[in-house]
């Protein structure tokens, strides 16, 4: 099944670290690794993304808001460190509340104090600015990565698309050309994906590719630097 509509059969599933994700039988895909959704997000996007930028004030673009796990972890981490982030997420298929709320991300992360802020971000209308606290700003746009028009504005990109097997059009040189244009010099992009053809597309777009150790259960992930 190609992804031209909201996955019709999403169900919550528990992953190895006790956090939950969504599974679609029709797509043969889940939103996070079954080896640990929270562990994967922390490793790929926080440890190798946010913390590797060396910046305490940054503009972040996430490709695929999904269940909001990455934005919640980023808000928590920036809050702890006193960092300022302006976070924009793209999402063509926003999830209904019954699905994201069933996952219990704030409780799984031991961050029930952030439940209201998480709910506010996930309930926001497209384009609505949310200030959940700690100087963090968030909005999501009903956009496709293929149509982004930023020019040298981003410090960090979380590339959390469905896999190349499910959405090959998300992993092309043309998409990475657009992201490369959108990133400032020295900006960083991270993704769980370590496929050779994806890395070649990134390199052809002029990005400097690093092979990094993967999240639990995965050998490698990819980090990318804009020259
Ligand atoms: C792996 S999930 C993201 C998980 C999410 N980051 C989280 O923390 O829960 C991939 C997401 O990309 C979204 N997506 C699909 N096509 C897209 C496109 N063309 N541009 C941006 N996002 C897209 C999907 O709807 C889905 O929510």
């Amino acid at each position: 099944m190609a992804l031209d509509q909201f996955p019709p059969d999403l169900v919550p599933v528990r992953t190895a670290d006790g956090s939950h994700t969504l599974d679609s039988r029709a797509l043969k895909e889940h939103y996070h690794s079954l080896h640990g959704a929270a562990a994967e997000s922390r490793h790929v996007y926080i440890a190798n993304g946010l913390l590797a930028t060396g910046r305490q004030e940054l503009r972040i673009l996430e490709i695929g808001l999904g269940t909001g796990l990455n934005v919640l972890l980023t808000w928590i981490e920036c809050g702890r460190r006193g960092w300022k982030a302006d976070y924009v997420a793209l999402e063509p298929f926003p999830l209904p509340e019954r699905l994201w709320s069933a996952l219990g991300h704030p409780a799984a992360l031991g961050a029930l104090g952030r439940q209201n802020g998480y709910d506010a971000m996930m309930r926001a209308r497209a384009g609505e600015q949310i200030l959940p606290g700690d100087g963090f700003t968030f909005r999501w746009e009903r956009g496709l990565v293929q149509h982004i028009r930023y020019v040298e504005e981003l410090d960090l990109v979380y590339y959390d698309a469905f896999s190349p097997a499910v959405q090959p059009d998300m992993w092309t040189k043309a998409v990475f050309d657009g992201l490369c244009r959108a990133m400032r010099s020295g900006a960083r992009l991270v993704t769980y994906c370590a496929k050779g053809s994806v890395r070649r597309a990134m390199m052809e777009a002029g990005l400097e590719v690093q092979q990094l150790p993967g999240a639990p259960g995965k050998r490698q992930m990819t980090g990318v630097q804009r020259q």
Side-chain angles (χ1 to χ4, degrees), residues 60-211:
I60 304 172
L61 178 71
E62 173 173 33
I63 307 305
L65 172 66
T67 71
L69 181 57
N70 288 339
V71 69
L72 177 57
L73 278 167
T74 304
W75 176 38
I76 292 170
E77 199 60 41
C78 287
R80 275 196 198 125
R81 292 170 183 269
W83 292 3
K84 295 241 169 310
D86 178 15
Y87 196 109
V88 179
L90 300 185
E91 183 51 73
F93 305 116
L95 292 168
E97 181 160 349
R98 74 179 164 80
L99 284 175
W100 57 257
S101 64
L103 305 180
H105 285 333
L109 302 181
L112 275 173
R114 297 190 185 256
Q115 181 78 55
N116 290 344
Y118 169 72
D119 291 350
M121 293 192 279
M122 296 304 288
R123 286 179 185 145
R125 294 182 304 277
E128 181 187 2
Q129 180 105 315
I130 302 293
L131 307 174
D134 303 323
F136 192 82
T137 65
F138 169 82
R139 69 173 201 278
W140 70 275
E141 303 283 355
R142 199 182 290 271
L144 302 179
V145 66
Q146 293 89 338
H147 298 163
I148 58 166
R149 291 286 175 269
Y150 298 102
V151 180
E152 296 189 18
E153 289 167 66
L154 308 173
D155 301 299
L156 178 60
V157 178
Y158 292 164
Y159 205 75
D160 201 9
F162 287 132
S163 66
V166 172
Q167 274 195 294
D169 57 325
M170 299 280 290
W171 301 91
T172 63
K173 174 180 179 296
V175 167
F176 294 118
D177 280 338
L179 285 166
C180 186
R181 248 191 323 275
M183 292 160 73
R184 292 193 176 119
S185 174
R188 193 164 174 76
L189 177 151
V190 275
T191 179
Y192 67 89
C193 181
K195 203 172 175 206
S197 58
V198 167
R199 287 180 172 163
R200 281 191 291 281
M202 291 168 162
M203 284 189 275
E204 283 166 19
L207 294 160
E208 191 185 298
V209 174
Q210 308 159 334
Q211 305 187 6

